[in-house]
Amino acid sequence: MNANALKYRLIGKPLRSSELQAQRYGVLWGLPVLSSDAISSVAYATEEILLVLVPVLGMAAYTPMLGVAGVIIGLLFMLILCYRQVIDAYPQGGGAYSVARENLGRIPSLIAASGLIIGYMLTIAVSSCSGAAAIVSAIPQVEPLRVPLIVLFILLLTVGNLRGLRESSKAFGLPTYFFVASMLAMIAIGAVKAALGQVEPAEQAAQLSQTTGDLTLFLFLHAFSSGCSALTGVEAISNSVPNFSDPSRRNAKVTLVALGLIVLCIFGGSCALAMLYHAAPADNLTVIAQIAAGVFGSDSIGFYLIQTTTALILLLAANTAYNGLPQLMSLLAQDSFLPKRFADKGSRLVYSHGIVFASTFAIVLVVAFNGDTHLLIPLYAAGVFLSFTLAQGGMVIHWRRKRCRSWMRKALINGAGAAVTALVFAIIVSSNFLAGAWISLLAIGCAAWAMNAIFHHYQNVKKALGLNDNERAKRLLLAEAPKARIIIPAYAINKPFIKTLNYARGLSDNIEVYHVKVSAQATRRFKADYQKLEISIPLVIEKAPYRNVNEVLLDHIDEKLGELEKHETLTIVIPQLVTKIWQMPLHNQTTLMLESALVGRRNVAMVTIPYLIDS
Amino acid sequence: MNANALKYRLIGKPLRSSELQAQRYGVLWGLPVLSSDAISSVAYATEEILLVLVPVLGMAAYTPMLGVAGVIIGLLFMLILCYRQVIDAYPQGGGAYSVARENLGRIPSLIAASGLIIGYMLTIAVSSCSGAAAIVSAIPQVEPLRVPLIVLFILLLTVGNLRGLRESSKAFGLPTYFFVASMLAMIAIGAVKAALGQVEPAEQAAQLSQTTGDLTLFLFLHAFSSGCSALTGVEAISNSVPNFSDPSRRNAKVTLVALGLIVLCIFGGSCALAMLYHAAPADNLTVIAQIAAGVFGSDSIGFYLIQTTTALILLLAANTAYNGLPQLMSLLAQDSFLPKRFADKGSRLVYSHGIVFASTFAIVLVVAFNGDTHLLIPLYAAGVFLSFTLAQGGMVIHWRRKRCRSWMRKALINGAGAAVTALVFAIIVSSNFLAGAWISLLAIGCAAWAMNAIFHHYQNVKKALGLNDNERAKRLLLAEAPKARIIIPAYAINKPFIKTLNYARGLSDNIEVYHVKVSAQATRRFKADYQKLEISIPLVIEKAPYRNVNEVLLDHIDEKLGELEKHETLTIVIPQLVTKIWQMPLHNQTTLMLESALVGRRNVAMVTIPYLIDS
């Protein structure tokens, strides 16, 4: 009961299944909760682009950066166009997985799902690492505590999400608006200052003189693929349509467009400011922090405000994954691709198993990559763009099958989306393969294989257990159930033995008491005590010359199993001493041994009769 | 079966209980097996004495060293005299523990036993560490592998001892004789060379000029207490009297005297040579190695022969503990102070559990103290001398009670032994308390407390389970055993359910099928399928509005338990899907959950009906 009290304290009292409808949100709260990933990626996407360009081009990096940012924003609006059609076609959510499942078949849908799962887990890891980087930029002293801090944030998110959607959305929604507001303010003030010619370049600009090469196509594409991590949040909205209040489709579509406009303003704006203020990647000071220092002054309230809201939105961006991943996993579980429990809602009406799963893997990633955003980025976008491609490809098939009004136009839009995202996927994989994309691809392959294996296992079990028709079930029901055959293994005549004997006599008349002889003296005594009971139940004694009592008992059971008639089951009835847990090593755990040994045998049932020792 | 084949390969085929008599040894093999500890301690005792004296006295350390060695040899013969009387009085073995148990009561005997147990485990650790030091002296390159090497040796000893006594004694006996022979040869040649004036002092003699203090009583006693580690093997022979072939008492006593003479010669001789050759403690080169280098030359066959035989006897000295400790633990288990399994002989007729226990703790000690003999020595002798004192004190009481022929003389000898060993114990503890003796005392206290707690637990269980007289047993046997009341928890009508139903109908007519409703749809289907079976067994359906199926089921069981009449037992019959072990997470483990939840409840028996899935 104490464990339950602690659980209620942590995640709140259980909610009734009938309270489900109430746990949804409109555009106002749905936007910040589901879009914080995409919006927050501004905090690292600009930096990731510069990280590729600056070491090679130096001062000349800013013009191609604007080009890269422009292409990414164009891609974003293309994805939004495509995903509006997905929301229309699949209002039950599921995004890439549902679409691929219905239109492309099992294996492609599992690959899409694996890509999304890996992507979601990386969202949690990358966002919290990047959030920690914003904190370190403001307070460099916390650098040694970075990894434990990240883990702590993930644990807080876990608890928040286990408590349930509504409370999460309010707590986690406000910081998104704060971030957007403070970024817009920074961009506006920065632009005005630049127009007035009051710009001081950031300190890091010193290194910009080191130019080592020219702008090549490969360099441009590499920078582009790093910046594509900004687009990883888009599918969350289309996966979560059922979480919107009615009219859920319309709300989801409005949210999607709002997201696009916000990203356009602040991603575009911050890229422009990075150019104007000559911000360049450096240790322990992010590009956004350099811009904020340039606009507001490096120890101003404005600087700390930007760092605070950046850190908050990044940490909460991880929350996007907590909305998308458990829902996706529950869909997969319903379709028998994951253990059934992922489809069960916990006491607070959220998919608790999926939430805990996501947190566990994200923490493993953070610790394995030492909390470094730059190391995680190459793993990130590949999976997401793979699932984008499969979703858009699936949509083309969908429209072709449906042949609804203006299906050609719709198929064309999604087809173009599929082609572009496939190209981007190829660019991401080829420019980041050795840097980490291979890990993602391997993980996606393994996950898809495992889910397929799980599917086959459930199919086999269903076939093995199922009763196709009712006649079959009735035929299997025996008209006359055979009486039980019972063996009672015994080593001493004591109270638990008598209790067991009484119990067994209530079940059947076909009982045998079975004793293994190791010491002649002990067996003599057992026999004498047994005879004094004056009961007619036969006593069978067998020798264990090698003192292997359990093996002799098992051999006897196997022999008896061989003698069973059809439909008969052998029943082993055995007393089990129940002591406090730390006293268990003081007693022979024959019951446990028998249980694990008998587990592979058919037609043998085991009954344990507990005997409690109070002291 | 494959696991068994591997086991047979490793420790040999099982032996019949009737082969027990054959597994014993005479003086010829008993001496090397049981005395290797005491004999081998020459390899470190001289060094431990010098380690205390040289840093203070420099060149002047050798004369007091001879004094210390003389006192220790005197003490050895006093102990031999005392333990000859112990062998006569307690031919069943057990040494200090048996004597204290019979004459001083439970608590003192447990303290003596704990002292011996700790001592035995330290024998394994110290001897193998010191053996590794001898190897490092000969081949300094292996220094980085020291700790893994020690662990490997302990594992080899474990396997050897699990194979059984006879084979062990032959394999482990010869090196003792090799060591004694090579040491005697070294002493003789060294003495002759010294007499002819051909002595070159060891290189380490350089540091002997650094004198920092005078010989004080404390210094002398500290050196003495370090040297007392040489006396730790003596009790092994008196504990192992039953392992000698008949006449076992006489054989044991002869072995004890032979041990004394051997130690006299080689401990005395090597101390004298250390003085003549000015050997002094140094890193990675033992005192014995320095003497051997002085006598034979530092790269001679003689030098390597001494190192080899020293290493071998030290590693095999650890074997002494494998003869004494499991036997002592089996005695303690028979007296209900340790889990019963320590009293069971394994497939090779040795106390396998004790052997594995000893090895585990010794490995922990070696790793914790980084395989350093000098760090372990302060922990070592305290426990052994505590049990010596209790044994000799107990012997005084024994003779006073017996009042046999010349009992006064015998009591006087043991009384003197008790007084002297008590004094030595006080010296050891006071001069080594902070250096490690506190760890030993704490461990002894904890072990004694734990064994006493185990004893009380077994007494309580015996009282709770026992049937004092046969009338009681017959009264508890019910004339008419009540029919079983059965609950079958069910979630779907499938083959395992039908099998379970058939089985339950063979046990009783009082059956209830119990279903927990989570989803209205699933329950509707279940109900329809159940009704189509057309059986008269009642179906009970309860709702789980919070989706906590298991809790609802447990509440129902508790309710039913409350309705039981006297002597009735509630029986839960549940199908259990048996899959391959890695498929288990894919299925709800209701059986496991129920089992652990029901474990604290009286009057409820649980039956699992296995249903095997082949694929």
Side-chain angles (χ1 to χ4, degrees):
Chain A
M1 288 307 118
N2 261 337
N4 263 353
L6 181 70
K7 187 179 155 193
Y8 293 165
R9 195 75 189 239
L10 208 59
I11 68 165
K13 292 239 172 68
L15 297 175
R16 287 186 166 265
S17 302
S18 50
E19 295 177 61
L20 189 57
Q21 185 61 25
Q23 301 289 325
R24 293 180 163 196
Y25 35 54
V27 175
L28 187 69
W29 292 117
L31 173 69
V33 169
L34 293 174
S35 309
S36 56
D37 176 17
I39 294 175
S40 68
S41 47
V42 176
Y44 51 84
T46 316
E47 178 151 355
E48 291 298 326
I49 297 170
L50 286 174
L51 257 172
V52 175
L53 297 177
V54 165
V56 181
L57 302 177
M59 197 65 180
Y62 293 107
T63 319
M65 173 195 71
L66 287 186
V68 168
V71 176
I72 289 172
I73 289 173
L75 194 55
L76 171 66
F77 278 92
M78 173 155 219
L79 283 172
I80 287 173
L81 214 59
C82 290
Y83 270 101
R84 280 172 63 88
Q85 297 192 163
V86 174
I87 291 171
D88 268 332
Y90 293 93
Q92 72 278 31
Y97 165 68
S98 297
V99 176
R101 178 117 183 85
E102 201 174 300
N103 301 297
L104 302 176
R106 194 169 74 233
I107 301 299
S109 74
L110 289 181
I111 292 172
S114 305
L116 285 172
I117 291 174
I118 308 290
Y120 279 130
M121 291 189 309
L122 279 159
T123 299
I124 302 177
V126 166
S127 299
S128 33
C129 292
S130 186
I135 294 176
V136 170
S137 293
I139 320 167
Q141 292 84 344
V142 300
E143 160 65 22
L145 288 173
R146 207 163 38 91
V147 174
L149 206 68
I150 299 170
V151 172
L152 179 72
F153 282 125
I154 294 178
L155 293 178
L156 287 177
L157 284 176
T158 311
V159 172
N161 277 284
L162 286 174
R163 291 188 72 92
L165 279 176
R166 171 57 63 96
E167 282 162 64
S168 304
S169 71
K170 280 191 179 152
F172 296 173
L174 277 177
T176 305
Y177 286 127
F178 288 151
F179 174 74
V180 171
S182 59
M183 284 297 281
L184 290 177
M186 180 176 83
I187 291 164
I189 296 172
V192 169
K193 275 182 115 176
L196 300 174
Q198 297 173 349
V199 171
E200 284 173 51
E203 285 173 41
Q204 279 66 23
Q207 69 181 87
L208 289 178
S209 48
Q210 299 156 8
T211 309
T212 62
D214 295 321
L215 179 65
T216 58
L217 181 66
F218 177 79
L219 190 67
F220 188 87
L221 292 178
H222 188 191
F224 169 72
S225 71
S226 291
C228 278
S229 52
L231 302 178
T232 46
V234 181
E235 81 290 354
I237 291 172
S238 77
N239 289 358
S240 298
V241 181
N243 283 351
F244 282 94
S245 55
D246 295 323
S248 56
R249 277 189 232 192
R250 218 191 73 90
N251 283 337
K253 281 157 77 178
V254 170
T255 307
L256 197 55
V257 173
L259 159 70
L261 294 175
I262 290 174
V263 171
L264 168 67
C265 294
I266 62 177
F267 182 46
S270 62
C271 280
L273 287 189
M275 181 173 181
L276 292 171
Y277 288 81
H278 292 192
D283 281 347
N284 292 346
L285 194 61
T286 63
V287 164
I288 295 290
Q290 293 172 38
I291 296 173
V295 173
F296 297 113
S298 66
D299 227 2
S300 60
I301 292 178
F303 171 78
Y304 286 110
L305 186 72
I306 290 287
Q307 292 318 110
T308 310
T309 54
T310 306
L312 274 177
I313 196 181
L314 275 164
L315 298 172
L316 302 176
N319 197 45
T320 310
Y322 282 105
N323 281 278
L325 182 54
Q327 195 131 12
L328 173 62
M329 290 181 83
S330 96
L331 271 181
L332 288 164
Q334 279 166 38
D335 292 349
S336 300
F337 293 121
L338 284 178
K340 296 277 183 225
R341 67 196 63 180
F342 284 101
D344 297 339
K345 294 206 169 190
S347 67
R348 296 286 290 180
L349 286 169
V350 292
Y351 300 110
S352 329
H353 284 104
I355 292 171
V356 171
F357 177 87
S359 300
T360 309
F361 266 82
I363 288 175
V364 168
L365 276 173
V366 165
V367 172
F369 286 83
N370 196 29
D372 190 332
T373 316
H374 306 319
L375 294 179
L376 286 166
I377 288 285
L379 281 74
Y380 196 11
V384 175
F385 273 84
L386 182 56
S387 57
F388 282 167
T389 307
L390 289 166
Q392 300 311 320
M395 285 304 290
V396 176
I397 311 282
H398 172 82
W399 298 125
R400 226 185 58 148
R401 281 190 190 153
K402 272 257 175 133
R403 296 192 182 266
C404 57
R405 203 159 50 89
S406 63
W407 72 269
M408 291 268 280
R409 186 177 54 82
K410 288 176 174 171
L412 207 69
I413 291 175
N414 287 124
V420 171
T421 52
L423 182 68
V424 175
F425 172 71
I427 293 170
I428 290 170
V429 169
S430 56
S431 57
N432 291 293
F433 191 78
L434 288 177
W438 69 270
I439 302 175
S440 288
L441 292 185
L442 189 68
I444 289 168
C446 291
W449 174 86
M451 290 196 282
N452 199 40
I454 289 172
F455 178 77
H456 280 298
H457 173 74
Y458 278 129
Q459 293 298 104
N460 285 337
V461 169
K462 204 174 158 191
K463 217 182 292 168
L465 305 190
L467 296 159
N468 297 328
D469 56 282
N470 205 255
E471 287 313 303
R472 183 83 197 283
K474 273 166 115 174
R475 249 198 335 275
L476 286 175
L477 258 183
L478 301 177
E480 182 89 21
K483 293 299 278 180
R485 287 183 181 224
I486 294 179
I487 299 180
I488 306 179
Y491 303 99
I493 306 295
N494 53 22
K495 286 184 195 165
F497 173 74
I498 301 282
K499 188 181 176 188
T500 305
L501 204 57
N502 281 334
Y503 175 83
R505 284 159 74 223
L507 298 186
S508 170
D509 305 322
N510 191 342
I511 306 179
E512 161 192 306
V513 173
Y514 181 75
H515 176 85
V516 178
K517 173 179 172 179
V518 180
S519 128
Q521 194 196 342
T523 297
R524 214 161 28 235
R525 190 166 159 204
F526 179 84
K527 215 168 156 181
D529 283 354
Y530 188 77
Q531 275 158 359
K532 279 188 217 143
L533 288 179
E534 290 168 10
I535 42 174
S536 58
I537 296 169
L539 169 64
V540 175
I541 298 181
E542 280 186 347
K543 272 188 271 187
Y546 299 108
R547 301 161 304 287
N548 47 347
V549 180
N550 291 337
E551 284 172 40
V552 172
L553 170 58
L554 277 176
D555 282 349
H556 182 71
I557 290 172
D558 281 336
E559 199 179 296
K560 285 277 168 182
L561 280 174
E563 294 168 8
L564 289 184
E565 308 277 322
K566 205 182 172 196
H567 297 306
E568 273 192 328
T569 303
L570 188 66
T571 303
I572 317 294
V573 185
I574 194 166
Q576 183 174 24
L577 220 57
V578 179
T579 58
K580 300 208 174 64
I581 195 143
W582 62 89
Q583 296 167 337
M584 279 177 61
L586 300 179
H587 301 280
N588 288 330
Q589 300 300 326
T590 312
T591 319
L592 286 180
M593 181 290 304
L594 263 187
E595 225 158 7
S596 62
L598 292 181
V599 102
R601 288 166 167 85
R602 282 176 214 274
N603 303 327
V604 56
M606 183 156 152
V607 192
T608 50
I609 308 295
Y611 198 90
L612 272 67
I613 306 288
D614 286 325
S615 69
Chain B
M1 287 307 117
N2 262 336
N4 264 351
L6 181 69
K7 187 178 155 193
Y8 293 164
R9 194 75 187 241
L10 207 59
I11 68 165
K13 291 239 173 69
L15 296 175
R16 288 186 163 264
S17 303
S18 50
E19 295 178 60
L20 189 57
Q21 187 59 27
Q23 301 290 324
R24 293 180 162 197
Y25 34 54
V27 174
L28 188 68
W29 292 116
L31 174 69
V33 169
L34 293 174
S35 308
S36 56
D37 175 17
I39 293 174
S40 69
S41 47
V42 176
Y44 52 85
T46 316
E47 178 150 357
E48 290 298 325
I49 298 170
L50 286 174
L51 257 173
V52 175
L53 296 177
V54 164
V56 182
L57 301 178
M59 195 66 183
Y62 293 107
T63 320
M65 174 196 70
L66 286 187
V68 168
V71 175
I72 289 172
I73 290 173
L75 192 55
L76 171 67
F77 277 92
M78 173 153 218
L79 282 172
I80 287 173
L81 212 60
C82 290
Y83 270 101
R84 280 174 62 91
Q85 299 192 161
V86 174
I87 291 170
D88 267 332
Y90 292 93
Q92 72 277 30
Y97 165 69
S98 296
V99 176
R101 177 117 183 87
E102 202 173 301
N103 300 297
L104 302 176
R106 194 170 76 233
I107 303 298
S109 75
L110 289 181
I111 293 172
S114 304
L116 285 172
I117 291 174
I118 307 290
Y120 278 130
M121 289 187 311
L122 279 159
T123 298
I124 302 176
V126 166
S127 299
S128 33
C129 291
S130 185
I135 294 176
V136 171
S137 294
I139 319 166
Q141 292 84 343
V142 300
E143 162 65 22
L145 288 173
R146 207 161 37 90
V147 173
L149 206 68
I150 298 171
V151 172
L152 179 71
F153 281 126
I154 294 177
L155 292 177
L156 286 177
L157 283 175
T158 311
V159 172
N161 276 283
L162 287 173
R163 291 188 71 93
L165 279 175
R166 172 58 60 99
E167 282 161 66
S168 304
S169 71
K170 280 190 180 155
F172 295 173
L174 276 177
T176 306
Y177 286 127
F178 287 150
F179 174 74
V180 172
S182 60
M183 284 298 279
L184 290 177
M186 179 176 82
I187 291 164
I189 296 172
V192 168
K193 275 182 113 174
L196 298 174
Q198 297 172 351
V199 172
E200 283 174 52
E203 283 174 42
Q204 279 66 23
Q207 69 180 89
L208 289 177
S209 48
Q210 298 156 7
T211 309
T212 61
D214 294 320
L215 180 63
T216 57
L217 181 63
F218 177 79
L219 190 68
F220 187 87
L221 292 179
H222 188 190
F224 169 72
S225 72
S226 291
C228 277
S229 52
L231 301 179
T232 47
V234 180
E235 79 291 352
I237 292 171
S238 78
N239 289 358
S240 299
V241 181
N243 283 350
F244 281 94
S245 56
D246 294 323
S248 56
R249 279 190 230 192
R250 217 190 75 91
N251 281 339
K253 281 156 77 177
V254 170
T255 308
L256 197 55
V257 173
L259 159 70
L261 294 175
I262 290 173
V263 171
L264 169 68
C265 294
I266 64 177
F267 183 45
S270 63
C271 281
L273 287 190
M275 182 171 178
L276 292 171
Y277 288 80
H278 293 191
D283 280 346
N284 292 346
L285 195 61
T286 63
V287 165
I288 295 291
Q290 293 172 38
I291 296 173
V295 172
F296 296 114
S298 65
D299 227 4
S300 60
I301 293 177
F303 171 78
Y304 287 110
L305 187 71
I306 289 286
Q307 292 317 108
T308 310
T309 56
T310 307
L312 273 178
I313 195 178
L314 274 165
L315 297 171
L316 302 177
N319 197 45
T320 310
Y322 282 105
N323 282 279
L325 183 54
Q327 194 130 13
L328 171 62
M329 291 182 83
S330 96
L331 270 179
L332 287 164
Q334 279 166 36
D335 293 349
S336 299
F337 293 120
L338 285 177
K340 297 277 184 224
R341 67 196 63 178
F342 285 101
D344 297 339
K345 294 205 169 191
S347 67
R348 294 287 291 180
L349 287 170
V350 292
Y351 300 110
S352 330
H353 285 104
I355 291 171
V356 172
F357 177 88
S359 300
T360 309
F361 267 82
I363 289 174
V364 168
L365 276 173
V366 166
V367 173
F369 286 82
N370 196 27
D372 189 332
T373 315
H374 306 320
L375 293 179
L376 286 165
I377 288 284
L379 281 74
Y380 195 13
V384 175
F385 272 84
L386 182 57
S387 57
F388 282 169
T389 306
L390 288 164
Q392 300 310 318
M395 285 304 291
V396 176
I397 311 282
H398 173 82
W399 297 126
R400 226 186 58 149
R401 281 189 189 154
K402 272 259 177 137
R403 296 192 184 267
C404 57
R405 204 157 52 85
S406 62
W407 72 270
M408 292 269 279
R409 185 177 57 80
K410 288 175 173 170
L412 207 70
I413 291 175
N414 286 124
V420 171
T421 51
L423 182 68
V424 174
F425 172 70
I427 293 170
I428 290 170
V429 170
S430 55
S431 56
N432 290 295
F433 191 77
L434 289 177
W438 69 271
I439 301 175
S440 288
L441 292 185
L442 189 68
I444 290 169
C446 291
W449 174 84
M451 289 197 283
N452 198 40
I454 288 172
F455 178 76
H456 280 299
H457 174 74
Y458 277 129
Q459 293 298 105
N460 285 337
V461 169
K462 204 175 157 190
K463 218 183 289 168
L465 305 190
L467 296 158
N468 298 327
D469 57 282
N470 206 255
E471 287 314 304
R472 184 81 198 284
K474 272 166 116 174
R475 247 192 343 269
L476 287 174
L477 259 183
L478 302 176
E480 183 88 20
K483 291 300 277 180
R485 284 183 183 225
I486 295 179
I487 299 180
I488 305 178
Y491 304 98
I493 307 294
N494 53 21
K495 285 185 196 165
F497 173 75
I498 302 283
K499 187 181 177 189
T500 305
L501 204 58
N502 281 334
Y503 174 83
R505 285 159 74 225
L507 298 185
S508 170
D509 305 322
N510 191 341
I511 305 179
E512 162 192 306
V513 172
Y514 180 77
H515 177 83
V516 178
K517 173 179 172 180
V518 180
S519 129
Q521 192 195 345
T523 297
R524 211 161 31 236
R525 193 170 156 200
F526 179 84
K527 214 166 153 181
D529 283 353
Y530 188 77
Q531 275 158 359
K532 279 187 217 143
L533 287 179
E534 292 167 10
I535 40 174
S536 58
I537 296 169
L539 169 64
V540 176
I541 298 180
E542 281 186 344
K543 272 189 271 188
Y546 299 107
R547 303 160 302 287
N548 48 348
V549 180
N550 291 337
E551 283 172 40
V552 171
L553 170 59
L554 276 177
D555 282 350
H556 182 71
I557 289 173
D558 281 335
E559 199 180 296
K560 285 277 168 183
L561 280 175
E563 295 169 7
L564 288 185
E565 309 275 324
K566 205 182 169 194
H567 298 307
E568 274 192 331
T569 304
L570 187 66
T571 303
I572 316 294
V573 186
I574 193 166
Q576 182 174 26
L577 220 58
V578 179
T579 58
K580 299 206 176 63
I581 194 142
W582 62 88
Q583 297 167 337
M584 278 177 63
L586 301 179
H587 301 279
N588 288 330
Q589 299 301 322
T590 312
T591 319
L592 286 180
M593 181 290 304
L594 262 187
E595 224 159 7
S596 61
L598 293 180
V599 102
R601 288 165 165 86
R602 282 176 214 276
N603 303 326
V604 57
M606 180 154 155
V607 193
T608 49
I609 308 294
Y611 198 90
L612 272 69
I613 306 288
D614 285 326
S615 70

